[in-house]
Amino acid sequence: MGNTVAREDFEWVYTDQPHADRRKEILAKHPEIKALMKPDYNLIWVVVLMVLAQLTAFFLVKDLDWKWVVFWAYVFGSCISHSMTLAIHEISHNSAFGNSKAMWNRWFGIFANLPLGLPYSISFKRYHMDHHRYLGGDGIDVDIPTNFEGWFFCTRFRKFIWIVLQPFFYAIRPLCINPKPITRLEIINLLAQLSFDVVIYYLWGVKSIFYMLAGSVLGLGLHPISGHFIAEHYMFLKGHETYSYYGPLNLLTFNVGYHNEHHDFPNIPGKSLPLVKKIAAEYYDNLPQYNSWIKVLYDFVMDDTISPYSRMKRQLKGEVKQD
């Protein structure tokens, strides 16, 4: 239980990320994939329905016993909340309204953010674009854990706690690794969120607020869907930086499991990523892949060679452009 993992530092690499070169190869061989680079307007209606579902839940839990508020926060609210963060991920790539209406996507992201309880959408977009441009970039990609996380969470028990606390680390990591000046849109995101939270409290009370916030925290922590945080880029196999998952939870997560495909084609909505895999099967079928995010979480905790240090990291050269 207390064994310390062997890894004591990140896996430093001195090559570019593989996704840009593979994208060029695939487009040269399968130019029909370009037809998939268009907005997914169905995303708009799915997000609206998810917001309405959570509003209904806020109303329904307001008079329940606390034990049932907690129960439904984990069983239902956490799933909707985590799914909504991945809808916001889609929106950050302008998948709702297209690149020609970038600001429409930003406003829609603020709307999608409301049932999460905490402002998230605008800041996520700024940092997520860096993650795509500079995957593993030292001091830029805040998806990479801090040195403290790698050093401290080095036993099975501590790795389990790290998974539980993932929402906390994702929130504070940007401030430690790559702090950015606050923008006008982030202030609007914050004010809109606070106003929404006050209205929910005024209408339905503290149990609805608790359900909302607990669902967000629990859904991003020890939860089956949270396996995607580790499955996407943690190096279970040496030399492989990005991994795809092809299991059923993609139905709840806008196909974020198709992660090699997503990094190769970040301007293709999640709905169409299975088509990318089908068209360019010769590029994806033989890459390492997962069929269970729960098993990913279990293996991460129990494998003494895996820890938050199990990531590829790059020292970036040349000009770095950030949002």
Side-chain angles (χ1 to χ4, degrees):
M1 186 79 170
N3 291 345
T4 302
V5 299
R7 185 181 298 278
E8 296 180 355
D9 195 3
F10 297 102
E11 184 80 14
W12 286 89
V13 293
Y14 302 93
T15 57
D16 292 333
Q17 57 167 297
H19 300 288
D21 288 341
R22 187 160 60 220
R23 175 165 57 248
K24 290 177 184 176
E25 274 190 49
I26 292 174
L27 286 177
K29 190 172 181 180
H30 300 288
E32 65 271 25
I33 284 179
K34 292 179 182 178
L36 303 176
M37 299 175 182
K38 58 185 179 182
D40 173 16
Y41 295 117
N42 287 331
L43 177 63
I44 299 168
W45 308 115
V46 171
V47 167
V48 169
L49 288 173
M50 290 169 70
V51 171
L52 292 176
Q54 280 293 71
L55 284 173
T56 302
F58 297 160
F59 172 75
L60 293 175
V61 303
K62 67 184 178 68
D63 296 320
L64 294 181
D65 289 340
W66 276 106
K67 63 182 179 182
W68 290 111
V69 177
V70 175
F71 174 82
W72 287 114
Y74 188 77
V75 172
F76 182 76
S78 63
C79 295
I80 295 289
S81 291
H82 200 138
S83 184
M84 188 63 89
T85 67
L86 294 167
I88 290 171
H89 166 253
E90 287 283 290
I91 296 165
S92 76
H93 286 281
N94 294 335
S95 292
F97 295 98
N99 293 322
S100 63
K101 295 179 178 178
M103 280 305 299
W104 287 38
N105 289 281
R106 302 292 77 75
W107 294 118
F108 192 55
I110 292 172
F111 168 75
N113 195 152
L114 294 177
L116 296 178
L118 298 169
Y120 162 82
S121 177
I122 299 300
S123 297
F124 172 79
K125 194 267 181 186
R126 297 179 72 197
Y127 283 102
H128 188 64
M129 295 305 103
D130 294 340
H131 170 66
H132 275 273
R133 292 190 194 107
Y134 308 111
L135 181 62
D138 184 34
I140 301 295
D141 184 0
V142 299
D143 194 59
I144 299 285
T146 60
N147 281 308
F148 169 78
E149 291 170 74
W151 168 77
F152 184 78
F153 294 99
C154 59
T155 68
R156 293 177 185 179
F157 176 72
R158 291 181 188 180
K159 287 191 290 181
F160 175 81
I161 297 301
W162 183 77
I163 289 172
V164 173
L165 296 177
Q166 276 191 106
F168 171 75
F169 288 113
Y170 269 93
I172 67 167
R173 200 181 288 152
L175 303 177
C176 299
I177 294 177
N178 186 17
K180 297 183 179 186
I182 296 174
T183 64
R184 181 178 66 91
L185 274 178
E186 284 175 305
I187 294 173
I188 293 172
N189 193 176
L190 172 64
L191 294 177
Q193 191 63 60
L194 290 175
S195 300
F196 178 82
D197 294 351
V198 168
V199 169
I200 295 299
Y201 177 77
Y202 177 78
L203 291 176
W204 297 323
V206 70
K207 289 181 179 177
S208 296
I209 291 291
F210 176 87
Y211 167 89
M212 173 167 56
L213 296 175
S216 297
V217 173
L218 293 171
L220 296 169
L222 188 63
H223 194 282
I225 297 177
S226 292
H228 82 86
F229 289 130
I230 294 170
E232 290 166 359
H233 297 293
Y234 283 80
M235 197 168 50
F236 282 80
L237 289 175
K238 189 173 177 64
H240 291 277
E241 185 168 16
T242 306
Y243 301 77
S244 287
Y245 156 83
Y246 299 122
L249 289 177
N250 278 305
L251 295 172
L252 297 176
T253 58
F254 301 90
N255 287 328
V256 76
Y258 288 76
H259 217 66
N260 269 301
E261 295 84 349
H262 171 60
H263 271 265
D264 290 352
F265 299 99
N267 56 343
I268 293 180
K271 181 185 77 171
S272 298
L273 293 178
L275 279 175
V276 172
K277 181 180 184 296
K278 183 178 180 180
I279 293 168
E282 69 273 24
Y283 287 91
Y284 297 113
D285 284 353
N286 294 321
L287 292 176
Q289 56 190 251
Y290 300 113
N291 291 304
S292 171
W293 277 336
I294 295 176
K295 188 175 187 302
V296 168
L297 291 172
Y298 176 84
D299 289 345
F300 179 82
V301 171
M302 299 305 293
D303 188 335
D304 292 333
T305 67
I306 303 296
S307 78
Y309 271 141
S310 300
R311 293 290 298 262
M312 286 190 182
K313 204 171 184 183
R314 293 177 171 84
Q315 190 71 52
L316 297 174
K317 300 176 181 178
E319 185 180 5
V320 174
K321 297 180 180 179
Q322 300 184 69
D323 279 8

